[in-house]
Amino acid sequence: MEYDFSKLNDREFETLAASIIEKEVRKKVEIFKSGKDGGVDGRFWIGVEKEGIIQCKHFLETPYPKLISKLKNEESDKVKKLNPGRYIFVTSKKLSRINKQEIKKIFHPYIHNEQDIWGMEDLNAFLSKKENQDIVERNYKLWITSTSVLDFLYNNAIKGRSQSTIMEIKEKTHKYVITANHSKGLKILEENNVVILTGEPGIGKTTLADNLAVHHMAKGYEFCDIEENISEAENLFRENEKKKILFYCDDFLGSNMYDAINNKKDSHIIKFINRIRKDKSKKFILTSRTNILNKAYSLSHIFQNLKIRDNEFLLKIENLSSIDKARILYNHIYHSNLPEKFIDIIYQEKRYKEIIKHRNFNPRIIEFITDSSLIGNLEPENYWSYISRSLNKPEIIWADYFQNQTDDCVRALTYLTVFNNGKISEDNLRNSYNLFLNIHTVNLGDYSDKSFEAVRKLATRSLLNRNQIEENKYEYVLFNPSIADFVLSTYSNEIHLICNIVKSLDSEVSIDYLHASLISNKINNSNSGRILENLFDYFFELKLEGQDWNFLIALCYLDFFNEKINKRIELFLNTLINADHPSGNRLWELLMILSEFEPQIKFKNFKFLYNFIDEVYDEDTLKKLFAFVDQYNIEDEDILMQIDVLLKQYLKGIVDSNDFDIDYSKHLTYYQHPDGYSDHDVDINGIENEISESLDSYMDGFNVNVLDRIYFHTSSVVAGIDIDGKIIRYLENYEPDYDRDSHDYYVGRSGEDDIDAIFERS
């Protein structure tokens, strides 16, 4: 039997080799995380002292002379240094008898005989034995691309379209990475016989569906791609009641959703799904864009009554760990056919981490940026810009989905959530949605229910997530952060729309989000003046009458250089400073605006500041307050006392933070007690002095005149710090240095984290 080792990347090949050798030598083989291996891909013990070492070279397409050159010039010295009791060499290349003799000579005397040299023929022969099929099945990609399984797949596919689908699936298997989603999908399918894979575009619904299908086909299921032709599937069901059949439907309902429901085909579909639920010899895998399934569910009482969603498995990018993402990226790069110079760009300065950690990480984008056929005439030096642009421009994924597959009402809920900084309570979203429908022209489209309850069900689990925060209370967040980027980039010039969204939200959060979007140019900054004038006309009198000082400060701060609204800003400031006990938490913005309008503002006193400096902990705001107090020579004792308390709280917070680094070890003296146990002395004064010196550096930039006025000294902060508690916590986490075993350099302690290890180049 032939196995296609080309579908494995180098890491996967090493895992396979370790499994084979473990079974061959009947000893446990240790495998280590990916990375620089010092010539070791696996290790087993011969007795208690001697090591057996496994080295793998997945050089399938590498010319034999190049392999020999690498072994002579690099690997042989590593083996001498390791001095193993036995050395086993495994390669995916075909090897002749003469080739093996040459390799044995290179590694003399560590390779005992040629049986410890494994080439492609040896691997195929071993894996073809019935007793070793467990190894094949554990190595998923090897299993599903074996000649026996592929023949089985083709022969078990219903003729025509199903065979074509199998061919397409086979071509993509080499890029597949098994994650927790694979196991969960298999579990749902095993328990329910039906699974509906849903999620955002590009999340990997079809890829997972393909591989769940292949898994069951290899287990004896015939494959039927029905493309929603339920009649065809029902006929096949009736004719083969005893046969194991897997039905497959990618993009369930899709563009035919309304036709399916209006013509009562929903009953037909549900009856078929329920038949499969009750028959263990049949399986049904479906994929659906979440918004389509939501819409169908809202329109079809049959879908609701028969609980079609009990079979749903929602795929989310949060389900993927950083290691999953790293393996997905690495696998795509490995099989990409990208020129080496382009791959170097991804490795430069460990840029692969930027891709993995990017909030728009998505398997479809990864496939897009590593597809050598899409690069065209791009020069290597422009490749990173191409990658960044692809990650930062979510239009690639969201354009068709958002604009063509949803209606204005679903889009409205999305707009509102985006401009509330991606999170909003259910009550606020409901109120904002109803207001938005009243003040903004909305195309209601069909005659379906447009109430908040109806529309939020359509948006939930496609563009939004609904999370319970406490009993009977919910909040909505964006299904994926890239939705916000798409909305901003697409509608940044729609001033009327943006203003109506913010008016409907009526929240400081939305004003802040708008401001941040203008500053970052996600919304065209040249529009800020017109947006501010529009919002001022709508909000100003209402908020001034209600003395909503925080909202007005946020609104003014959007653009307080706007001449058309200067008079109203002056009115607001004069009203604020003369109000009885005004309060708020936007001191930084207030001081900035006051400084700009200072000539027009007449301060009688500064008591209005009392309730604005009640909770100020960030450095920039404190420094701005110090400068303001000095500029106006404020002598109010209550204000000065507040400043003193806030400064101490701020500095104590710094000392308690993880960023404050004190070297406790140099203040500890260890000694051996006469009774035999170890003990230590602590130089408390030394620690206090080091903390004081460090705090003094944090005081740079604070106005010294104000510091003198409040009689401040860092010793007053140090006196309130629990030094003893810090020493105890330090000792609890203290690990003294010790000598490493001479072999530790290759057992995964490279100093690199697991992601770096995956991308480590040999």
Side-chain angles (χ1 to χ4, degrees):
M1 188 186 303
E2 291 291 323
Y3 293 92
D4 189 353
F5 299 106
S6 70
K7 302 304 182 185
L8 306 181
N9 66 39
D10 50 352
R11 315 303 190 214
E12 292 162 341
F13 181 72
E14 290 169 8
T15 302
L16 171 66
S19 300
I20 290 172
I21 301 304
E22 183 171 77
K23 199 160 193 177
E24 177 71 7
V25 301
R26 297 183 181 181
K27 294 179 182 290
K28 178 184 176 182
V29 170
E30 299 172 81
I31 55 176
F32 311 110
K33 72 178 184 180
S34 304
K36 290 181 178 177
D37 55 31
V40 179
D41 293 315
R43 174 178 67 177
F44 58 94
W45 289 96
I46 305 167
V48 294
E49 294 184 354
K50 275 294 185 179
E51 292 175 308
I53 298 300
I54 304 167
Q55 176 65 195
C56 303
K57 292 300 174 192
H58 191 25
F59 280 12
L60 199 65
E61 303 299 327
T62 304
Y64 179 73
K66 188 173 180 180
L67 169 62
I68 291 298
S69 174
K70 185 173 183 64
L71 298 184
K72 286 180 178 178
N73 298 329
E74 297 179 25
E75 301 301 328
S76 60
D77 286 341
K78 293 179 184 177
V79 177
K80 289 176 185 176
K81 185 177 180 181
L82 291 166
N83 191 28
R86 183 177 176 185
Y87 187 72
I88 299 176
F89 178 75
V90 184
T91 179
S92 52
K93 282 199 70 63
K94 292 182 178 180
L95 297 176
S96 67
R97 177 171 171 270
I98 294 174
N99 295 153
K100 288 191 175 186
Q101 288 174 348
E102 187 174 9
I103 293 171
K104 182 175 181 292
K105 186 176 179 181
I106 292 172
F107 293 116
H108 178 77
Y110 307 106
I111 292 183
H112 296 166
N113 56 61
E114 291 173 20
Q115 288 182 341
D116 283 349
I117 301 172
W118 292 65
M120 181 191 290
E121 298 85 350
D122 304 298
L123 297 173
N124 273 315
F126 182 90
L127 294 170
S128 297
K129 294 177 182 177
K130 187 175 182 180
E131 63 266 27
N132 297 326
Q133 285 304 294
D134 59 321
I135 294 177
V136 176
E137 293 190 21
R138 286 204 307 271
N139 288 268
Y140 178 76
K141 286 197 284 188
L142 191 71
W143 174 53
I144 62 175
T145 57
S146 64
T147 52
S148 61
V149 171
L150 287 176
D151 288 343
F152 191 81
L153 298 185
Y154 295 140
N155 293 332
N156 274 23
I158 308 303
K159 304 300 180 187
R161 183 177 60 249
S162 297
Q163 286 186 327
S164 175
T165 302
I166 290 296
M167 289 290 291
E168 293 174 7
I169 292 173
K170 188 256 183 186
E171 291 302 314
K172 297 183 289 184
T173 53
H174 61 290
K175 292 185 179 179
Y176 186 59
V177 171
I178 290 184
T179 66
N181 287 340
H182 184 89
S183 300
K184 187 172 181 180
L186 284 176
K187 186 172 185 289
I188 294 172
L189 200 52
E190 181 63 30
E191 292 175 352
N192 299 349
N193 298 329
V194 177
V195 63
I196 304 174
L197 304 173
T198 63
E200 63 185 270
I203 192 64
K205 300 183 295 293
T206 299
T207 302
L208 178 56
D210 290 346
N211 285 277
L212 294 180
V214 167
H215 176 94
H216 282 81
M217 290 163 64
K219 295 292 186 181
Y221 284 82
E222 292 190 23
F223 178 78
C224 178
D225 182 3
I226 62 177
E227 284 193 357
E228 298 183 49
N229 189 339
I230 299 299
S231 297
E232 175 189 351
E234 284 181 323
N235 291 336
L236 194 64
F237 197 123
R238 281 193 298 269
E239 294 168 5
N240 302 276
E241 288 191 9
K242 299 294 176 71
K243 276 189 175 181
K244 294 200 300 187
I245 301 177
L246 182 137
F247 297 96
Y248 174 98
C249 182
D250 194 22
D251 198 16
F252 171 50
L253 296 173
S255 59
N256 299 321
M257 178 194 64
Y258 287 107
D259 176 63
I261 292 169
N262 293 336
N263 292 313
K264 305 303 177 186
K265 295 178 184 177
D266 50 352
S267 174
H268 206 181
I269 295 168
I270 292 299
K271 285 179 181 178
F272 184 68
I273 288 176
N274 281 338
R275 283 185 69 186
I276 291 180
R277 276 176 172 167
K278 299 171 185 176
D279 190 334
K280 284 292 183 182
S281 69
K282 306 295 187 291
K283 302 291 181 186
F284 198 1
I285 300 173
L286 308 94
T287 72
S288 177
R289 288 161 287 176
T290 310
N291 62 319
I292 293 292
L293 187 61
N294 283 347
K295 189 73 173 179
Y297 197 74
S298 70
L299 294 175
S300 171
H301 294 299
I302 293 173
F303 277 12
Q304 297 164 20
N305 294 340
L306 295 180
K307 300 180 180 179
I308 189 175
R309 302 201 87 142
D310 287 353
N311 310 287
E312 183 180 5
F313 177 20
L314 175 65
L315 304 182
K316 297 192 291 185
I317 203 67
E318 303 94 273
N319 293 349
L320 297 176
S321 67
S322 294
I323 295 300
D324 286 336
K325 293 178 182 179
R327 291 170 59 217
I328 289 169
L329 176 59
Y330 180 83
N331 210 34
H332 276 77
I333 293 172
Y334 186 89
H335 293 291
S336 66
N337 293 321
L338 282 170
E340 194 70 21
K341 288 184 178 179
F342 283 78
I343 296 176
D344 289 342
I345 297 298
I346 296 176
Y347 274 78
Q348 185 179 322
E349 298 177 351
K350 299 182 180 180
R351 283 169 166 168
Y352 50 80
K353 283 188 174 180
E354 292 185 44
I355 299 173
I356 292 163
K357 294 176 181 178
H358 199 286
R359 62 185 186 145
N360 292 342
F361 182 97
N362 180 294
R364 183 176 294 171
I365 289 182
I366 299 308
E367 185 173 15
F368 182 87
I369 63 177
T370 57
D371 189 335
S372 57
S373 66
L374 297 178
I375 292 175
N377 297 320
L378 191 71
E379 295 296 327
E381 57 266 27
N382 297 324
Y383 183 45
W384 184 249
S385 297
Y386 170 83
I387 291 174
S388 299
R389 191 165 59 250
S390 300
L391 286 166
N392 292 328
K393 291 290 184 180
E395 294 90 338
I396 297 167
I397 293 178
W398 295 109
D400 178 66
Y401 183 75
F402 190 81
Q403 295 174 329
N404 300 324
Q405 299 175 34
T406 57
D407 60 26
D408 273 3
C409 293
V410 172
R411 283 190 284 270
L413 291 186
T414 309
Y415 296 146
L416 293 166
T417 305
V418 167
F419 275 84
N420 211 62
N421 200 24
K423 180 189 297 184
I424 187 169
S425 72
E426 185 163 84
D427 288 343
N428 287 342
L429 184 57
R430 180 186 291 105
N431 294 336
S432 299
Y433 171 74
N434 291 330
L435 180 55
F436 184 81
L437 293 188
N438 286 329
I439 67 175
H440 192 81
T441 303
V442 174
N443 181 3
L444 297 178
D446 55 58
Y447 294 101
S448 58
D449 188 357
K450 303 299 181 184
S451 68
F452 173 77
E453 284 300 317
V455 176
R456 68 98 175 158
K457 291 176 182 177
L458 299 181
T460 302
R461 297 162 69 88
S462 57
L463 292 166
L464 304 177
N465 282 335
R466 182 178 187 246
N467 301 327
Q468 186 169 7
I469 50 178
E470 55 183 270
E471 188 175 359
N472 297 323
K473 287 197 174 181
Y474 298 86
E475 71 176 9
Y476 292 77
V477 297
L478 295 175
F479 192 93
N480 186 290
S482 65
I483 295 172
D485 293 334
F486 167 74
V487 167
L488 292 176
S489 64
T490 305
Y491 300 98
S492 64
N493 288 315
E494 301 288 337
I495 296 174
H496 184 64
L497 171 64
I498 292 171
C499 288
N500 285 344
I501 293 169
V502 176
K503 291 173 186 176
S504 301
L505 287 166
D506 190 6
S507 68
E508 293 172 49
V509 174
S510 64
I511 298 293
D512 290 339
Y513 187 80
L514 175 60
H515 185 232
S517 301
L518 288 166
I519 290 175
S520 62
N521 288 318
K522 290 183 177 180
I523 294 176
N524 193 333
N525 201 268
S526 63
N527 294 325
S528 63
R530 285 185 291 166
I531 292 173
L532 181 61
E533 292 161 25
N534 188 314
L535 295 179
F536 244 83
D537 289 341
Y538 184 83
F539 282 119
F540 185 72
E541 282 75 16
L542 178 67
K543 298 298 180 181
L544 191 63
E545 182 180 349
Q547 296 191 343
D548 193 341
W549 309 120
N550 274 338
F551 191 99
L552 285 165
I553 292 170
L555 187 63
C556 294
Y557 195 65
L558 272 176
D559 183 6
F560 52 84
F561 299 106
N562 190 306
E563 294 182 2
K564 293 184 179 180
I565 59 170
N566 276 1
K567 290 297 180 184
R568 283 190 283 183
I569 294 179
E570 289 176 28
L571 172 61
F572 152 61
L573 293 176
N574 279 304
T575 304
L576 168 64
I577 65 175
N578 290 297
D580 293 330
H581 310 296
S583 63
N585 55 17
R586 293 181 169 271
L587 183 60
W588 163 265
E589 295 100 320
L590 176 59
L591 294 177
M592 290 289 291
I593 300 169
L594 284 172
S595 297
E596 180 62 29
F597 281 81
E598 183 268 332
Q600 296 96 326
I601 305 300
K602 306 301 179 186
F603 296 107
K604 294 181 180 178
N605 58 60
F606 295 93
K607 295 188 183 298
F608 70 91
L609 287 176
Y610 287 170
N611 294 321
F612 278 93
I613 61 176
D614 189 38
E615 292 185 7
V616 181
Y617 296 107
D618 67 279
E619 180 179 344
D620 288 341
T621 304
L622 281 171
K623 286 181 176 178
K624 184 68 179 175
L625 177 60
F626 272 54
F628 189 84
V629 168
D630 185 51
Q631 179 182 354
Y632 292 100
N633 196 29
I634 297 175
E635 299 284 354
D636 189 299
E637 289 188 5
D638 290 335
I639 291 178
L640 294 178
M641 186 180 297
Q642 278 181 300
I643 291 174
D644 180 59
V645 171
L646 288 174
L647 182 58
K648 289 175 181 175
Q649 289 174 336
Y650 161 70
L651 293 174
K652 186 178 184 301
I654 289 175
V655 175
D656 291 337
S657 73
N658 293 329
D659 296 330
F660 194 77
D661 188 20
I662 293 293
D663 185 3
Y664 293 101
S665 64
K666 69 181 184 183
H667 303 292
L668 296 173
T669 303
Y670 293 91
Y671 63 89
Q672 197 74 21
H673 196 275
D675 291 340
Y677 62 86
S678 298
D679 207 342
H680 60 268
D681 288 328
V682 182
D683 179 8
I684 297 293
N685 288 333
I687 293 174
E688 290 179 341
N689 290 335
E690 185 174 348
I691 292 175
S692 288
E693 290 171 6
S694 297
L695 286 178
D696 285 338
S697 67
Y698 280 93
M699 299 304 297
D700 290 343
F702 282 88
N703 189 286
V704 293
N705 294 330
V706 178
L707 288 174
D708 290 342
R709 205 172 302 170
I710 63 176
Y711 306 106
F712 180 80
H713 193 275
T714 53
S715 60
S716 60
V717 177
V718 175
I721 295 172
D722 180 12
I723 303 285
D724 290 338
K726 290 185 175 296
I727 289 293
I728 291 171
R729 285 190 291 276
Y730 170 78
L731 291 171
E732 287 174 347
N733 297 312
Y734 176 68
E735 292 184 8
D737 292 334
Y738 58 92
D739 292 332
R740 300 289 187 186
D741 180 85
S742 60
H743 296 302
D744 276 356
Y745 66 91
Y746 61 73
V747 295
R749 294 179 182 144
S750 64
E752 300 284 350
D753 64 20
D754 289 337
I755 291 176
D756 285 333
I758 287 173
F759 286 86
E760 187 69 65
R761 287 164 138 175
S762 58

